[in-house]
Amino acid sequence: VLDVRQVTKVYGQGDATVHALRGVSLTVERGDYVAIMGASGSGKSTLMNILGCLDIPSTGRYHIDGTDVGRLDERQLAILRNQKIGFVFQAFNLIPRMSALANVELPLAYGGVKAGERRRRALAALDLVGLAERTRHDPNELSGGQQQRVAIARALATAPSLLLADEPTGNLDTASTLDVLGILDRLSLSGRTIVLITHEDDVAAHAKRVIRLVDGQIIEDRRQAAV
Amino acid sequence: VLDVRQVTKVYGQGDATVHALRGVSLTVERGDYVAIMGASGSGKSTLMNILGCLDIPSTGRYHIDGTDVGRLDERQLAILRNQKIGFVFQAFNLIPRMSALANVELPLAYGGVKAGERRRRALAALDLVGLAERTRHDPNELSGGQQQRVAIARALATAPSLLLADEPTGNLDTASTLDVLGILDRLSLSGRTIVLITHEDDVAAHAKRVIRLVDGQIIEDRRQAAV
Ligand SMILES: Nc1ncnc2c1ncn2[C@@H]1O[C@H](COP(=O)(O)OP(=O)(O)OP(=O)(O)O)[C@@H](O)[C@H]1O
Ligand SMILES: Nc1ncnc2c1ncn2[C@@H]1O[C@H](COP(=O)(O)OP(=O)(O)OP(=O)(O)O)[C@@H](O)[C@H]1O
Ligand SMILES: [Mg+2]
Ligand SMILES: [Mg+2]
């Protein structure tokens, strides 16, 4: 369970101060499928980075499964992220001069998975996103949408109980988008928790719940019948 | 006029060979507004990089306004790009540790525009894309969609006669997308030539012509009534 209480995030100071989040509270139960929407600059990625323990709030509390994330040190945070969370970044954040396969294997290596098992799971994840023919290519030898799909495969390879995906279909054509949504739908049916940021209504339609941010605040949080 | 004749692009060799473009021919007259669509990996960005003189074909010919681009040296290509072409990259390609304003001023500086005029035009371009409050921020202090809009402002600041935009709305919410499409529509009405890559049908609906790529080949090239 993700429990966010009155979280704020402030950048800069003086007249360059930016209030990215102005007091956000939400609870995500295990197995929920949440879409976060909102205008460009409304605070979506900032909120997701806090949910994924990649950033800390300026004020407020964040608990994952009862643990206060603010009380963990860097090493404990890294273990928590590696064991429980898969993260698809808005800018992909792939390691440039490393093959797609090595990029997907990396979180498995951090988690202590042996080489043979790592290779098998990484190849399965790349095959799932339609990139079986591109495993040996580096990111700069791949198209934008192919890089995005490598980033998705990397987040899935560790079979995380929580998947956080920031605009996972921004660079994908309709067919690839439907493939990715199919993967997320199956993941949700198997009981995993999913939080995804999107600006596309037809992507948000797959979620069970839609949260809307305006200028760093939640202005809507409602359940919907998922597509 | 952009005149592409039987262009191919091949990467790699042996069994790692990738035929990104397999013989593409098209002509774009001055003032045309073209949308290029196709699946992830179908060759859209590769074609656009050739149109923008950022990459050379493996075989075939490409003429801009009667000049054979293949016969120009690096210096002449750089001058041609700076004087005639505005490019919005799929990955934005902003300079990381430089403010949004400095990023937008850069092509104007290369073109020899004086400091005062540069500052005025760059601020006007950033204001046009809704980022008047963010001119002093570096890219890593901006959201994904804000970075994308800085990249659009940079391509517009030089008032290019040809605008090439690769997925310019991939990270933008509906309102920001409509703002950007409004800018492109006005640019087209003023006689500029626009070629844009998109996977979103409602973005392509603004173009006067749709070209579809499948696996490195043009399978469709038709006029439509623009929205
Ligand atoms: N430097 C490279 N070396 C090897 N293959 C490459 C290289 N650059 C691109 N490719 C391959 O060429 C093909 C076309 O790539 P391109 O970037 O043009 O696709 P695209 O249509 O823009 O895709 P997307 O919609 O995902 O951005 C892809 O299969 C890609 O893997
Ligand atoms: N390091 C930083 N320093 C200063 N301001 C920042 C920083 N990072 C983000 N911001 C600002 O915080 C606000 C929220 O950013 P955030 O990335 O969360 O937006 P977003 O909703 O994800 O937008 P997008 O849809 O464009 O990706 C933006 O106005 C942005 O400019
Ligand atoms: Mg974002
Ligand atoms: Mg591309």
Side-chain angles (χ1 to χ4, degrees):
Chain A
V1 178
L2 312 180
D3 187 14
V4 176
R5 287 184 216 153
Q6 279 304 314
V7 154
T8 69
K9 183 70 188 182
V10 182
Y11 293 109
Q13 52 234 332
D15 62 349
T17 303
V18 175
H19 295 273
L21 294 175
R22 296 168 190 270
V24 167
S25 297
L26 72 145
T27 303
V28 179
E29 304 283 344
R30 186 177 291 278
D32 204 351
Y33 189 170
V34 183
I36 298 178
M37 305 189 78
S40 173
S42 58
K44 305 181 297 294
S45 297
T46 302
L47 174 57
M48 186 160 263
N49 292 342
I50 289 171
L51 289 178
C53 303
L54 289 160
D55 193 10
I56 48 173
S58 300
T59 67
R61 286 269 163 279
Y62 176 42
H63 289 74
I64 288 192
D65 295 342
T67 304
D68 183 342
V69 171
R71 295 183 184 281
L72 298 180
D73 64 28
E74 225 8 80
R75 206 179 66 64
Q76 290 170 311
L77 277 174
I79 291 170
L80 174 64
R81 283 193 302 258
N82 184 262
Q83 294 299 312
K84 287 196 175 182
I85 304 171
F87 207 110
V88 184
F89 294 90
Q90 189 168 6
F92 318 153
N93 293 12
L94 297 176
I95 310 235
R97 267 164 283 290
M98 218 162 79
S99 73
L101 185 62
N103 265 281
V104 175
E105 283 194 24
L106 202 57
L108 295 167
Y110 281 137
V113 177
K114 296 271 175 296
E117 171 75 358
R118 239 172 32 218
R119 176 64 41 108
R120 194 186 62 70
R121 286 169 65 174
L123 285 172
L126 282 164
D127 187 35
L128 189 63
V129 296
L131 289 177
E133 312 290 313
R134 285 278 181 282
T135 60
R136 301 287 168 186
H137 284 72
D138 288 358
N140 65 352
E141 294 175 332
L142 295 174
S143 78
Q146 289 169 339
Q147 293 176 34
Q148 185 154 45
R149 285 181 282 158
V150 173
I152 292 167
R154 180 181 61 183
L156 295 175
T158 53
S161 53
L162 171 63
L163 181 73
L164 301 176
D166 194 341
E167 300 281 2
T169 62
N171 276 278
L172 298 181
D173 59 283
T174 308
S176 302
T177 294
L178 287 175
D179 286 350
V180 168
L181 290 174
I183 295 168
L184 296 185
D185 289 351
R186 284 196 298 281
L187 214 67
S188 179
L189 284 171
S190 75
R192 305 301 168 76
T193 311
I194 300 177
V195 180
L196 98 94
I197 291 174
T198 184
H199 61 271
E200 300 181 51
D201 290 326
D202 43 2
V203 170
H206 285 250
K208 298 179 195 170
R209 176 182 173 192
V210 176
I211 293 177
R212 276 183 205 279
L213 283 177
V214 170
D215 214 8
Q217 287 185 302
I218 292 178
I219 57 120
E220 187 183 14
D221 182 352
R222 63 180 174 75
R223 296 240 149 248
Q224 64 177 13
V227 129
Chain B
V1 177
L2 313 181
D3 188 14
V4 176
R5 286 184 217 154
Q6 279 303 316
V7 155
T8 69
K9 182 71 188 178
V10 182
Y11 292 109
Q13 52 231 334
D15 62 349
T17 302
V18 176
H19 294 275
L21 293 175
R22 298 169 188 269
V24 167
S25 296
L26 72 146
T27 303
V28 178
E29 304 282 346
R30 186 175 291 279
D32 204 352
Y33 189 170
V34 184
I36 298 178
M37 305 189 78
S40 174
S42 59
K44 304 180 297 293
S45 296
T46 302
L47 174 57
M48 188 161 265
N49 292 341
I50 289 170
L51 288 178
C53 303
L54 290 161
D55 193 10
I56 48 173
S58 301
T59 66
R61 285 270 163 281
Y62 175 41
H63 290 73
I64 288 191
D65 294 341
T67 305
D68 183 342
V69 171
R71 293 183 185 285
L72 300 180
D73 64 27
E74 227 7 82
R75 206 181 64 73
Q76 289 168 311
L77 277 176
I79 292 169
L80 175 64
R81 281 194 303 259
N82 184 263
Q83 295 298 314
K84 287 198 176 182
I85 304 172
F87 208 110
V88 183
F89 295 91
Q90 189 168 8
F92 316 153
N93 293 10
L94 297 175
I95 312 242
R97 265 163 283 290
M98 218 163 78
S99 73
L101 186 61
N103 264 281
V104 175
E105 282 194 24
L106 203 56
L108 295 167
Y110 281 136
V113 177
K114 295 271 174 299
E117 170 77 357
R118 243 179 20 228
R119 176 62 42 107
R120 192 188 62 70
R121 286 170 64 175
L123 285 172
L126 282 164
D127 187 36
L128 188 64
V129 296
L131 288 177
E133 311 291 313
R134 286 277 182 281
T135 60
R136 300 287 167 187
H137 284 70
D138 288 358
N140 66 352
E141 295 175 332
L142 295 174
S143 78
Q146 290 169 338
Q147 292 176 35
Q148 185 154 45
R149 285 182 280 157
V150 172
I152 293 167
R154 181 182 60 184
L156 295 175
T158 52
S161 52
L162 171 63
L163 179 73
L164 301 176
D166 195 341
E167 299 280 2
T169 62
N171 277 280
L172 298 182
D173 59 284
T174 309
S176 302
T177 294
L178 288 174
D179 286 349
V180 168
L181 289 173
I183 295 168
L184 297 184
D185 290 351
R186 284 194 300 278
L187 214 66
S188 179
L189 285 171
S190 75
R192 303 302 168 74
T193 310
I194 300 175
V195 180
L196 96 94
I197 291 174
T198 184
H199 62 272
E200 298 180 54
D201 290 325
D202 43 2
V203 170
H206 286 253
K208 297 178 197 169
R209 176 180 172 193
V210 175
I211 293 177
R212 275 181 205 279
L213 283 178
V214 170
D215 213 8
Q217 288 185 300
I218 292 179
I219 57 122
E220 187 182 17
D221 182 349
R222 63 183 175 74
R223 297 239 149 251
Q224 62 178 13
V227 129

